[in-house]
Amino acid sequence: MKKALVIAIGLIFFGVTAKAQHFPRANCTTLVGDAMLKEVDTTKQRGVSDNYRTWANGQVILVKFMPGGSKDLRNKVMAYAKEWEKYANITLRFVSDTASKTHIRIKLGKGSGHNSAVGTEANFRPQSTQTMNFDTLFFADGDYYVKKLEAKGSKPPYSLNQLITEMRIDPNHWSIPEMRRVVVHEFGHSLGLLHEQSYPGAVNWKRTDSIYNYYRETQGWTKEQVDFNVFEVSSQFYTNGTSYDAKSIMHYAINTWETIDGYSVKQNYELSAGDKAIIGALYPKDKKESALIVPKVDISNFGKLSVVSNTAKGGLSIYPEFDLKTNSKLGQVYVVARLADEDGYYIKTDNQYYNWGGTAATYLKMNLLPNSKISYNKTAKKNLELFFPFAQMPELYGRKVMIVFAVYLDDVKNGQMDKLMYFSTTTPLSVTK
Ligand SMILES: [Zn+2]
């Protein structure tokens, strides 16, 4: 049985062995799969940019570091990240570690892989959790440590453990080009950019065991993670009319043996002309709004997700607390509360009315004005209730359930449906009459 992951889990992607002469390089993974639950969100999330996850044009994005990382390392990360400000109308404002509300939170550490939430997907994550990981082990200057090992008479291939040992003896020799590349790439994700290799038709991957084995050995990925991180193809919509850009900093390096036609891509270390163009189009400096703007809802200040057993009405009353903001484009917004069991499996149903994609659920379609702000359930008087009548599913009595709250948007005009705008879960609670 496939488990529906309803709880955000920390994915650990970690290169474990050295394949060749050099030390392994960690490929980046976006954190999409993390909160995103493939079974919830069946739409494809990847492409050149996810316009539903971009920040507002001109936004000051607050960034902080989670505990860890030397001052020197932090200064480098900040400087490299700011490269995007030259081309995008955003400000990355680095604030103190103690700031209680930030948009992007960076963890510098070992064993996490490199990854980032895509754009405003960072909002799904609690303030106590990072939205971006840098695996400092992979910032090490491989050539430097190889030379040290050679001097000691070691022969390739070298293992990761050898690298770690050398780093302990003689730390802080970084590969500046690699560190800069990774920081710029991850911050590209944090602004809404996706992997360029997912451009439709760009790469004819050989979907063979050898590829799955390669990524398992070098990155520690499961088959599912390889499918998601490597093979995912975006919809044409997300390309924003751009052409495929093999020089993009958002492109993985590809070996000839990984493709049917021997196509390969070298690691890119600089922002390409295409990268500068797309980020400038998403966040234009000379216009108030991007021409690529799509309907979005911004959910912020999410508070309690109260669930009460409402005996008078005979069901569960669910009151999510949040602020909602719309932009200038109108989409159809659904607030959805799905039921999952205490182990995190969605409760299946064929009920005609209380059903969201085959899962027991209650939902509301909201009519919203453009450029508006509204607070829900922030005062004593509740103004948004999702109600699930017990009579619809009497088999739930006495069981423990979790409520999985989500906000979806249908961009009917562009034919882009079911965009996940927010996501949160409760802890398990008992269903009683
Ligand atoms: Zn990436």
Side-chain angles (χ1 to χ4, degrees):
M1 180 159 50
K2 250 173 102 182
K3 184 158 186 174
L5 296 170
V6 298
I7 311 162
I9 48 160
L11 296 180
I12 298 200
F13 300 142
F14 189 38
V16 280
T17 53
K19 259 299 208 205
Q21 172 84 19
H22 293 290
F23 286 114
R25 188 190 72 242
N27 262 346
C28 143
T29 63
T30 54
L31 291 172
V32 178
D34 195 346
M36 190 65 73
L37 359 157
K38 297 202 178 146
E39 289 183 315
V40 177
D41 208 277
T42 51
T43 52
K44 300 205 165 169
Q45 295 297 326
R46 302 222 162 185
V48 173
S49 69
D50 188 340
N51 302 17
Y52 298 92
R53 299 252 159 79
T54 52
W55 307 91
N57 191 36
Q59 185 159 342
V60 175
I61 299 168
L62 302 178
V63 192
K64 78 168 184 181
F65 289 94
M66 304 299 278
S70 67
K71 192 161 186 285
D72 177 46
L73 211 48
R74 287 177 170 209
N75 284 341
K76 287 190 167 69
V77 170
M78 288 191 273
Y80 302 150
K82 282 187 164 286
E83 177 82 8
W84 288 109
E85 289 181 345
K86 292 184 201 161
Y87 312 100
N89 184 17
I90 46 101
T91 305
L92 294 167
R93 182 170 294 159
F94 285 83
V95 295
S96 140
D97 290 13
T98 55
S100 59
K101 260 196 208 166
T102 51
H103 299 106
I104 296 173
R105 292 170 294 284
I106 304 165
K107 176 88 181 158
L108 291 163
K110 291 190 178 75
S112 56
H114 307 307
N115 43 57
S116 170
V118 172
T120 55
E121 186 197 64
N123 291 338
F124 305 173
R125 305 184 147 252
Q127 289 290 327
S128 56
T129 313
Q130 66 268 31
T131 67
M132 189 183 281
N133 284 296
F134 290 115
D135 197 326
T136 51
L137 187 59
F138 293 96
F139 287 164
D141 181 347
D143 292 339
Y144 176 85
Y145 291 107
V146 164
K147 282 201 188 93
K148 299 279 285 189
L149 286 166
E150 277 171 354
K152 289 180 180 173
S154 290
K155 295 241 174 337
Y158 307 105
S159 74
L160 201 55
N161 281 337
Q162 284 175 290
L163 169 65
I164 294 168
T165 307
E166 286 305 311
M167 281 182 77
R168 289 218 173 100
I169 300 167
D170 183 15
N172 298 328
H173 290 271
W174 310 110
S175 165
I176 297 298
E178 174 67 2
M179 191 189 299
R180 185 170 166 277
R181 175 190 79 79
V182 170
V183 171
V184 175
H185 177 106
E186 296 309 332
F187 269 88
H189 285 314
S190 78
L191 296 177
L193 297 185
L194 301 166
H195 287 140
E196 185 70 17
Q197 73 267 9
S198 66
Y199 191 98
V203 184
N204 297 311
W205 296 97
K206 258 188 219 165
R207 294 176 188 236
T208 55
D209 285 351
S210 52
I211 290 220
Y212 288 112
N213 291 342
Y214 172 73
Y215 283 101
R216 193 185 63 237
E217 284 172 23
T218 59
Q219 309 293 327
W221 292 349
T222 62
K223 181 175 180 294
E224 232 184 7
Q225 286 165 345
V226 176
D227 288 339
F228 193 67
N229 289 321
V230 182
F231 297 146
E232 186 84 16
V233 176
S234 76
S235 84
Q236 196 70 41
F237 181 77
Y238 286 146
T239 66
N240 292 306
T242 60
S243 53
Y244 167 64
D245 177 14
K247 297 247 180 289
S248 171
I249 195 113
M250 303 311 293
H251 208 309
Y252 277 11
I254 301 176
N255 300 301
T256 50
W257 64 266
E258 293 181 88
T259 56
I260 290 166
D261 46 11
Y263 180 66
S264 65
V265 174
K266 284 209 183 79
Q267 190 75 73
N268 297 318
Y269 288 90
E270 298 295 329
L271 287 183
S272 69
D275 292 331
K276 294 171 189 172
I278 187 69
I279 208 72
L282 291 168
Y283 302 98
K285 286 182 187 265
D286 56 346
K287 275 188 281 209
K288 194 164 178 279
E289 232 173 54
S290 166
L292 302 171
I293 193 168
V294 292
K296 275 184 281 193
V297 283
D298 175 40
I299 308 289
S300 59
N301 303 318
F302 196 86
K304 268 209 316 249
L305 179 54
S306 310
V307 183
V308 292
S309 209
N310 191 330
T311 41
K313 286 167 79 173
L316 286 178
S317 287
I318 301 153
Y319 302 105
E321 281 179 27
F322 60 97
D323 294 331
L324 183 151
K325 212 167 87 185
T326 59
N327 69 0
S328 64
K329 301 275 175 197
L330 266 189
Q332 291 177 358
V333 175
Y334 294 86
V335 288
V336 184
R338 255 171 301 204
L339 273 61
D341 67 20
E342 59 186 315
D343 295 323
Y345 292 90
Y346 284 116
I347 296 170
K348 304 282 178 215
T349 184
D350 50 13
N351 186 293
Q352 201 182 339
Y353 304 105
Y354 290 86
N355 181 329
W356 184 268
T359 297
T362 171
Y363 59 90
L364 288 173
K365 183 178 164 183
M366 293 181 130
N367 284 320
L368 302 166
L369 292 169
N371 295 317
S372 62
K373 269 187 203 174
I374 182 160
S375 291
Y376 291 104
N377 298 331
K378 291 271 170 130
T379 57
K381 181 144 177 53
K382 305 287 186 207
N383 58 351
L384 178 67
E385 179 189 10
L386 290 156
F387 183 71
F388 189 88
F390 292 143
Q392 292 291 331
M393 282 193 87
E395 67 272 26
L396 291 180
Y397 287 134
R399 282 180 68 180
K400 282 200 159 180
V401 297
M402 285 163 59
I403 301 297
V404 181
F405 174 77
V407 178
Y408 286 93
L409 177 135
D410 281 355
D411 179 2
V412 181
K413 192 163 158 262
N414 288 312
Q416 300 291 313
M417 314 302 242
D418 279 343
K419 300 295 165 196
L420 185 62
M421 296 280 126
Y422 193 78
F423 176 84
S424 178
T425 61
T426 62
T427 47
L429 50 115
S430 295
V431 180
T432 49
K433 267 187 227 193

